[in-house]
Amino acid sequence: MRLFEESAQGLTRREFMSKSAKTGLLIYSAPAIAGAFSSGCSQKTPVNEFDLSQENLMKLIKTALSRGGDFAEVYVEHRETTSMSLSEDKIKSLNYSISQGVGIRVISGEETGYAYTDDFSMDELQKTAETASAIAHGKVKVASADLTKLVYPENINVITSLNTIDEKKKIQMMKQANEYCRSYSNYIKDVYVNYSEEFKNVFLANSNGVYFTDEQPLTRFSTYVNAIKGDVRQSGSDSIGGREGWEMYNPEKIEKVASKASKTAVGMLDSKECPSGEMAVIMPNGWGGVLLHEAIGHGFEGDFIRKGTSVFSDKLGKRVADPKVTVVDDGTIKNKRGTLNADDEGTLTQKTVLIENGICRGFMYDLFNSKLSNVKSTGNGRRQSFRHTPLPRMTNTIMQGGTDSIDDMVSNTKYGLNVKQLSGGSVDITSGNFVFNVTEAYMVENGKETYPVRGASLIGKGSDVLEKIDLVGGDVDTGDGSCGKDGQSVPVTVGQPELRISKCTVGGTKT
Amino acid sequence: MEDFNKFAGSIVDKAIKAGATSAEAYINDGNELDIEISMGKIQKLLRSGSKGVGLRIFKNGRRAFVSSSDLSEKAVNSLVHKAVIFADEATPEEYNTLPPEYTKAPVEDLELIDNSIESIPLDRKISIAKEMEQAAFDFDKRITKTRASSYGDSRYTTYLTNSDGLAVSYTSTSCYLGISVTAEDKGHKQSNGYGVGKRFFADLPENKWIAEEASKGALMTIGGDKVKTQKVPVVFDRTLSTILLGAIAGGINGERVFRDQSFLKGKLNEKIASDLVTVIDDGRMKRGARSRPFDGEGVLTNSKPVVENGILKTYLYNTYSANKAGTKSTGNASRGSYTGTPGIGPLNFYMQKGNTSKENIIKSVKNGLLILDFVGGGPNTLTGDFSAGIAGVWIKNGKLGQPVAKVTVAGKLLDMLTGIEAVGDDLLFEGGTNCPTIKIKEMTVSGT
């Protein structure tokens, strides 16, 4: 299901028909999306091909603030992506794209003006700055500070850059995954394998004097499998990736990505309809973290908090979850998909404690919302591209491990659902109600797994579910995803240990 | 600016010279305006232009695709070079062709361009969005906040040239008005959005009406709670019944049908929905949100019934999938933008309106559910299942009762479609896909 539709015609571009304050997380790319989902390293573009001198950057900031305003920023991006797709045992297509441009933002009080262009001539850039400046109506208030280059710890370390590796090797890897899937079972009908690599050069300068430059690699390798038995069709998928180099890929990982997808698809062929109602739910580590992303993640974003539209708006210092629950949003974890050295506003990323032992401790902020809330930006200001304004977004949102034994979770469950894979979810941040879509699960009865079930979804209110987490294992893992909000997609990870929710509503088709 | 038709042609020529056996250049050039108001302030005022080219090449049956927002000669040359190298790595398929035939486009005006939009002063557009927000606050005291009250418009020209001699272009405008409000009452919060997209500014509904529709929806569902698990009739309000059309559109994707990935495979000319259901795919509707003279590969668009009185009449194809299935493109090659290759997508997709008013549909329900919002989930066109979280209102003896939330509704898509017992007369064209209020005989509501 395509989450993001970009239409040059503009009518569907912003997906405005959002019925409520909904945002969503897609964990796996289905093949239809894979082509658009590209990441790639390529020849490192010499920086001076599109570099703007500091002097010119300051000129643009001055123009942007020429009608008043408190803040101005010039954001420059050059992105190259390469993707390859395999299906029907054939290499269907290789795609390559270049996207580059400049976005200029002006903030005046609570108002924001924005303009972007893909023309790098100073004339055109000055016009763009003037367009953005029109948001302000006062006399010149701020003289911009001299630019100081931001120094940051390297959260992203690549040994062998993907742009130095020949296409043939990547294709070989895709063919291997295809082989593993095909040989897993005779029930496997369709296999899709997708590889992508992206290389993004960004630099920005703002009127606070921040000058930030960075190179951001991103890669993803995913499998999607259909299995058919009689009239029943099921699917499974898995992916690996991160801000990594060629060293990340190895035969064991490729086999795992292939077999996990295959196992889900084939395992669900014998599934029965899932019963509905309230029951215990065991969530897997890694992907299971979609629970946090939807249950609290979006509700902790600074714009919803400031406006009072989030169900957590007034909960700072209050209990929102079981004491076993501690959740952080950490943009510094080495090489993760959601990791950055600094966010897309030039604020260093950090580890922000959202919930500590069940108490709400902090929210995620960008520059705009943090200033209006009298707090500091937490380095969560992110944007999809130079064509978009930054919003408070998640990075790597992870629940810390506990001390409960994983083996006990199933054996201690009288009646419940053991969830192995999820495909995504979405949340209404105002009511706090969320839905997760389960793709692989097994009924648990009297302490034992009994049969696979399909078509299950988990539904509830974020804080209710968090209050009912009663067992937290120690084995934390993360899963890659793409998070959508206000028509903008950013790469993130979600993570958690295996855990049990003592009571959750399961939606199934069987009454 | 320069003549993009010529420019597209020059790119195609370069590709052929570099070794492609056929090539197609697709260029978008245009601008957009986005205004977002929140609590009386301009949360965002965005104005910009963008352009880019997507180049698809075939080399002896092998395919590659490249795109760029940098249209300088240097960038285009490196793009062409890359495309040809990439093509060598792909597996050849006889299905990789440009459309085998073209029909000269009829000259009828699809009314896609509203030239008045550019001359409406920016301040007026800002006021429309500000007034819309105020109208929501004025409508009911319980509407306390907005996520955004927005107006936007855009104007784009698309150019398509290929090595078979096709060279076409068209311009279109679009505008939208939308709002997302938050209601607060007795400690509960509920948000709801409503938005409408049109080609012509004058066709947009009154901003006050949009604000009230969004507000009504929030106030009807606020404080919703679970109900017990049961099987009941379910009414899909017109503001979201399009989700079922999305299931049909996904199920009739010709590529997926061919690959046995659709619940509608093998059902051509069979009954897949009740007699009351007729669904049209129309690319030539005047001022239609998805109207265009030709599709994403240059094939002429048309108008056709997809479902007629419940019978499935056609699948949708682009050239590649049509080649595979041994049939013709139905003019449904779709591209989101120049950065993608043509997939398969519906054009103006709608269910013909029925004869029953929404009031009468609700009156006919003794014990059931009116859905006003979805929170995650939806149709799975592979397995044929439907499962989604909802917010809505319970119906008892034909009257609306308490608000419902934190439950899911589920069913099998074919059961749902054949179980459509009533189709409302309240069809409105507000976007690319449109559907009236419908009543489904029975679905499983899962709560406690």
Side-chain angles (χ1 to χ4, degrees):
Chain A
M1 202 164 96
R2 196 185 289 257
L3 260 187
F4 312 105
E5 297 205 39
E6 263 191 39
S7 163
Q9 268 63 43
L11 261 175
T12 54
R13 186 187 182 96
R14 286 182 32 111
E15 285 274 41
F16 195 80
M17 223 14 256
S18 59
K19 291 280 296 150
S20 60
K22 278 201 300 291
T23 50
L25 175 72
L26 182 69
I27 293 183
Y28 307 120
S29 309
I33 303 178
F37 196 157
S38 342
S39 302
C41 278
S42 68
Q43 293 300 327
K44 258 196 204 178
T45 306
V47 165
N48 60 16
E49 274 207 27
F50 59 95
D51 195 5
L52 291 167
S53 66
Q54 291 203 12
E55 191 194 331
N56 277 341
L57 284 169
M58 292 202 68
K59 271 193 196 150
L60 291 173
I61 291 173
K62 188 162 176 217
T63 304
L65 291 174
S66 59
R67 289 193 234 190
D70 312 303
F71 173 89
E73 164 201 79
V74 178
Y75 179 90
V76 185
E77 174 186 299
H78 174 95
R79 184 200 317 232
E80 293 181 37
T81 66
T82 299
S83 65
M84 306 173 191
S85 59
L86 182 161
S87 61
E88 295 184 294
D89 301 318
K90 300 175 190 148
I91 301 296
K92 290 289 172 126
S93 190
L94 282 84
N95 300 357
Y96 172 74
S97 79
I98 300 172
S99 174
Q100 59 176 35
V102 179
I104 300 183
R105 181 166 61 133
V106 176
I107 299 178
S108 176
E110 286 176 57
E111 309 201 311
T112 302
Y114 199 78
Y116 61 80
T117 178
D118 36 45
D119 185 334
F120 281 80
S121 65
M122 258 323 261
D123 267 350
E124 190 55 43
L125 291 173
Q126 287 283 31
K127 274 199 208 134
T128 306
E130 276 159 23
T131 305
S133 77
I135 192 78
H137 305 287
K139 56 185 188 332
V140 177
K141 280 201 256 181
V142 169
S144 49
D146 282 338
L147 296 178
T148 306
K149 191 160 184 191
L150 186 72
V151 172
Y152 48 81
E154 290 285 346
N155 297 322
I156 301 167
N157 278 305
V158 162
I159 300 171
T160 307
S161 191
L162 287 162
N163 66 329
T164 62
I165 303 296
D166 192 87
E167 279 87 45
K168 292 186 176 19
K169 289 206 170 134
K170 295 155 187 169
I171 288 174
Q172 189 49 33
M173 197 165 63
M174 294 167 70
K175 286 182 174 171
Q176 269 167 11
N178 187 46
E179 262 318 298
Y180 283 131
C181 290
R182 290 264 170 233
S183 59
Y184 186 90
S185 155
N186 287 334
Y187 293 121
I188 303 256
K189 173 108 198 322
D190 280 316
V191 180
Y192 293 80
V193 183
N194 288 282
Y195 168 83
S196 60
E197 53 178 59
E198 168 189 288
F199 198 76
K200 185 158 83 160
N201 264 332
V202 297
F203 62 96
L204 68 84
N206 69 32
S207 53
N208 292 338
V210 173
Y211 176 64
F212 166 64
T213 77
D214 201 6
E215 291 168 347
Q216 298 166 351
L218 187 66
T219 184
R220 186 159 185 175
F221 186 96
S222 62
T223 53
Y224 175 83
V225 172
N226 287 336
I228 301 190
K229 192 177 180 185
D231 263 338
V232 181
R233 297 180 183 85
Q234 291 293 327
S235 64
S237 59
D238 195 19
S239 78
I240 50 174
R243 299 194 181 279
E244 299 267 15
W246 183 240
E247 62 275 6
M248 184 205 90
Y249 291 111
N250 62 50
E252 290 77 38
K253 281 192 182 150
I254 298 302
E255 186 179 358
K256 198 161 163 223
V257 164
S259 58
K260 238 176 148 190
S262 306
K263 176 176 175 286
T264 301
V266 174
M268 287 293 104
L269 287 175
D270 292 324
S271 58
K272 301 190 189 162
E273 284 184 40
C274 187
S276 308
E278 292 184 325
M279 61 184 85
V281 174
I282 299 169
M283 294 286 279
N285 62 355
W287 308 106
V290 75
L291 167 75
L292 304 173
H293 184 100
E294 302 302 350
I296 59 144
H298 281 294
F300 273 57
E301 286 166 344
D303 48 352
F304 301 134
I305 297 296
R306 180 180 64 89
K307 291 185 194 177
T309 49
S310 162
V311 71
F312 296 103
S313 301
D314 50 356
K315 298 282 195 286
L316 201 55
K318 302 204 169 106
R319 173 163 300 287
V320 295
D322 185 281
K324 286 187 180 187
V325 175
T326 292
V327 182
V328 303
D329 181 84
D330 189 351
T332 68
I333 307 177
K334 293 267 179 276
N335 292 19
K336 286 286 177 199
R337 181 173 166 83
T339 295
L340 293 166
N341 294 320
D343 68 10
D344 299 327
E345 300 183 301
T347 307
L348 291 175
T349 51
Q350 63 179 53
K351 177 171 164 173
T352 304
V353 178
L354 303 179
I355 298 178
E356 187 173 37
N357 301 325
I359 308 285
C360 169
R361 287 288 178 221
F363 303 117
M364 294 170 281
Y365 285 99
D366 60 334
L367 286 175
F368 177 74
N369 289 287
S370 63
K371 177 134 192 262
L372 293 172
S373 309
N374 283 317
V375 294
K376 285 186 144 185
S377 167
T378 52
N380 286 90
R382 302 182 65 187
R383 65 182 98 195
Q384 177 175 315
S385 78
F386 69 90
R387 298 188 179 97
H388 302 87
T389 51
L391 294 171
R393 304 301 298 267
M394 287 177 264
T395 60
N396 304 299
T397 313
I398 302 178
M399 179 189 290
Q400 315 286 55
T403 53
D404 293 312
S405 143
I406 296 170
D407 301 318
D408 284 350
M409 288 190 202
V410 171
S411 57
N412 278 339
T413 296
K414 200 154 187 283
Y415 181 68
L417 193 68
N418 190 4
V419 175
K420 289 299 195 188
Q421 289 276 45
L422 297 130
S423 64
S426 65
V427 65
D428 175 329
I429 53 98
T430 303
S431 61
N433 294 333
F434 64 79
V435 171
F436 310 145
N437 309 309
V438 174
T439 46
E440 186 187 352
Y442 301 82
M443 285 312 293
V444 175
E445 291 164 304
N446 296 318
K448 287 200 163 52
E449 257 187 29
T450 47
Y451 59 93
V453 288
R454 64 173 185 273
S457 32
L458 304 175
I459 184 164
K461 189 167 162 173
S463 45
D464 287 348
V465 159
L466 289 177
E467 279 160 16
K468 295 197 168 69
I469 292 176
D470 63 351
L471 293 174
V472 178
D475 183 21
V476 178
D477 194 10
T478 58
D480 289 355
S482 294
C483 172
K485 174 177 168 179
D486 287 356
Q488 290 197 45
S489 170
V490 292
V492 297
T493 69
V494 296
Q496 63 173 46
E498 204 172 74
L499 57 83
R500 187 176 76 173
I501 304 163
S502 60
K503 198 163 82 160
C504 185
T505 303
V506 172
T509 41
K510 180 169 162 238
T511 19
Chain B
M1 230 229 121
E2 25 176 319
D3 182 356
F4 278 121
N5 269 317
K6 258 168 92 181
F7 184 62
S10 73
I11 296 178
V12 166
D13 288 341
K14 280 186 187 181
I16 300 295
K17 282 201 180 74
T21 38
S22 52
E24 169 206 75
Y26 182 95
I27 295 178
N28 273 151
D29 174 37
N31 55 56
E32 65 168 323
L33 166 71
D34 255 347
I35 299 168
E36 265 180 31
I37 303 294
S38 181
M39 307 309 284
K41 300 273 191 249
I42 301 176
Q43 176 170 269
K44 179 166 81 180
L45 174 60
L46 184 157
R47 277 175 294 178
S48 279
S50 71
K51 57 189 181 305
V53 60
L55 172 67
R56 193 160 62 127
I57 71 151
F58 300 129
K59 192 175 172 192
N60 301 316
R62 299 169 198 265
R63 180 181 82 191
F65 179 79
V66 291
S67 69
S68 174
S69 63
D70 180 355
L71 301 186
S72 66
E73 183 158 2
K74 187 158 178 232
V76 168
N77 288 344
S78 100
L79 217 61
V80 169
H81 177 70
K82 192 104 186 186
V84 176
I85 291 179
F86 268 4
D88 285 336
E89 300 296 334
T91 312
E93 278 194 295
E94 72 217 89
Y95 313 121
N96 281 329
T97 69
L98 294 178
E101 58 185 58
Y102 303 108
T103 318
K104 281 267 183 272
V107 192
E108 105 250 33
D109 178 13
L110 296 179
E111 291 182 39
L112 301 180
I113 309 171
D114 178 357
N115 286 313
S116 77
I117 293 178
E118 296 177 313
S119 34
I120 299 170
L122 179 64
D123 282 342
R124 165 119 194 267
K125 294 172 180 175
I126 292 173
S127 300
I128 287 171
K130 282 187 173 172
E131 283 162 22
M132 185 161 62
E133 184 183 58
Q134 191 55 47
F137 294 142
D138 290 343
F139 179 70
D140 193 294
K141 270 207 301 279
R142 293 169 291 171
I143 302 294
T144 53
K145 302 179 173 66
T146 61
R147 180 165 165 166
S149 173
S150 305
Y151 168 85
D153 60 46
S154 71
R155 183 185 179 106
Y156 276 89
T157 303
T158 298
Y159 305 84
L160 181 70
T161 298
N162 72 24
S163 52
D164 278 352
L166 178 76
V168 286
S169 66
Y170 74 96
T171 300
S172 64
T173 56
S174 70
C175 49
Y176 70 81
L177 259 186
I179 188 168
S180 174
V181 303
T182 300
E184 287 181 272
D185 192 18
K186 303 186 181 89
H188 296 291
K189 281 190 203 177
Q190 184 72 38
S191 63
N192 192 46
Y194 199 98
V196 176
K198 294 279 184 186
R199 293 252 177 238
F200 277 67
F201 185 82
D203 293 343
L204 287 171
E206 244 199 270
N207 54 2
K208 188 162 170 239
W209 180 81
I210 292 179
E212 289 176 5
E213 289 296 300
S215 304
K216 280 185 207 161
L219 292 168
M220 282 175 83
T221 50
I222 191 167
D225 208 350
K226 295 186 240 210
V227 293
K228 67 178 186 358
T229 300
Q230 55 194 291
K231 285 189 177 172
V232 290
V234 176
V235 178
F236 281 51
D237 190 83
R238 69 165 178 83
T239 51
L240 45 74
S241 50
T242 49
I243 200 172
L244 280 180
L245 293 186
I248 294 175
I252 59 176
N253 175 307
E255 171 82 26
R256 300 185 65 220
V257 166
F258 183 80
R259 305 275 291 273
D260 201 359
Q261 294 168 7
S262 163
F263 75 108
L264 291 177
K265 180 181 169 104
K267 301 226 182 286
L268 215 45
N269 296 317
E270 280 180 26
K271 202 158 198 307
I272 60 145
S274 86
D275 294 343
L276 300 174
V277 177
T278 293
V279 178
I280 312 287
D281 180 62
D282 186 353
R284 307 206 75 90
M285 185 186 290
K286 292 205 197 309
R287 305 192 177 194
R290 292 205 194 107
S291 295
R292 57 201 60 162
F294 47 85
D295 74 4
E297 300 178 287
V299 173
L300 210 58
T301 58
N302 54 26
S303 170
K304 55 198 174 283
V306 162
V307 178
E308 201 160 44
N309 302 321
I311 308 282
L312 182 63
K313 304 302 290 179
T314 181
Y315 298 123
L316 302 181
Y317 294 98
N318 58 7
T319 295
Y320 173 80
S321 56
N323 288 341
K324 267 176 153 170
T327 181
K328 287 181 156 191
S329 164
T330 54
N332 287 93
S334 76
R335 283 193 213 233
S337 75
Y338 67 86
T339 57
T341 49
I344 299 170
L347 296 156
N348 296 300
F349 206 64
Y350 66 96
M351 184 182 296
Q352 279 187 344
K353 68 176 187 178
N355 294 322
T356 325
S357 70
K358 183 163 143 187
E359 283 92 26
N360 285 338
I361 289 179
I362 291 173
K363 276 192 190 144
S364 76
V365 176
K366 275 211 169 60
N367 186 44
L369 177 64
L370 169 66
I371 301 179
L372 292 173
D373 197 6
F374 285 117
V375 186
N380 182 328
T381 51
L382 172 77
T383 62
D385 294 323
F386 180 97
S387 175
I390 63 99
V393 181
W394 200 256
I395 307 174
K396 192 91 191 171
N397 296 324
K399 292 204 171 64
L400 294 180
Q402 83 275 22
V404 178
K406 302 180 228 182
V407 301
T408 58
V409 293
K412 293 214 84 66
L413 286 168
L414 284 172
D415 291 341
M416 290 163 67
L417 290 169
T418 52
I420 292 178
E421 288 189 325
V423 175
D425 62 3
D426 56 352
L427 175 69
L428 286 180
F429 287 91
E430 298 182 324
T433 299
N434 302 285
C435 192
T437 294
I438 57 176
K439 176 188 174 192
I440 293 177
K441 190 166 168 192
E442 187 180 88
M443 291 186 74
T444 303
V445 175
S446 304
T448 56

